[in-house]
């Protein structure tokens, strides 16, 4: 399992004002099969609770890979792991039957096609409303995290928190 944490974080935040329950995503994705590796790709953005979050991911069974947020002249920020995820998935592909990509990023379409060409099943887990339609269509299986918010999201929406 290869988890694009930033993609999932911002999708959950923008759609539902909540956070992803990565433990349940891992459990759902593995679905009783033998897990070889689950890697969460994160960006260090110097946010206070980030160390606790990364440790929580480790405790749930993820290997956590982190890199610094890039800030360019003019204030443009960039933080993605597309190449890193792709290289890791290709390196591990000989040992796998199934690759699970937890992302809605259409930039992974060439990776999906490469892995399928080499005989692997590729499953995608993401929020359908923010996922690339082409990625969803190409995947061998797709799980929409938005269909079961109780299972895959944690935290209360801002409006509900304000009522208290």
């Amino acid at each position: 399992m290869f988890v694009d944490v930033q993609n999932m974080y911002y999708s959950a935040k923008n759609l539902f004002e909540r956070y992803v329950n990565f433990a349940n995503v891992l459990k759902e994705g593995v679905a009783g099969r033998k897990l070889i590796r689950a890697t969460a790709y994160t960006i260090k953005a110097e946010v206070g609770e980030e160390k606790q979050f990364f440790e929580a991911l480790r405790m749930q069974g993820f290997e956590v890979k982190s890199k610094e947020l890039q800030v360019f002249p003019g204030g443009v920020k960039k933080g993605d792991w597309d190449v890193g995820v792709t290289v890791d998935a290709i390196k591990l592909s000989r040992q796998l039957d199934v690759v699970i990509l937890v992302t809605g990023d259409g930039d992974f379409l060439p990776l999906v096609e490469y892995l399928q060409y080499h005989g692997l099943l590729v499953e995608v887990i993401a929020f359908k409303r923010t996922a690339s339609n082409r990625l969803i269509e190409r995947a061998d299986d797709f799980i929409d995290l938005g269909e079961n918010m109780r299972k895959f999201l944690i935290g209360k929406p801002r409006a509900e928190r304000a009522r208290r």
Side-chain angles (χ1 to χ4, degrees), residues 70-136:
Q70 297 177 58
V71 181
F72 296 96
V76 174
K77 297 177 183 179
K78 181 174 173 146
D80 68 54
W81 271 97
D82 295 7
V83 173
V85 170
T86 299
V87 169
D88 286 353
I90 290 171
K91 284 193 317 192
L92 278 172
S93 65
R94 291 185 185 161
Q95 302 164 30
L96 306 173
D97 298 318
V98 178
V99 168
I100 303 166
L101 296 174
V102 183
T103 186
D105 189 340
D107 289 345
F108 288 107
L109 189 59
L111 172 62
V112 171
E113 292 169 345
Y114 174 88
L115 294 170
Q116 290 172 330
Y117 177 80
H118 286 86
L120 280 79
L121 291 175
V122 180
E123 300 173 3
V124 172
I125 300 174
F127 296 97
K128 186 174 185 177
R129 287 174 47 195
T130 56
S132 160
N133 286 331
R134 292 181 61 211
L135 184 68
I136 293 169

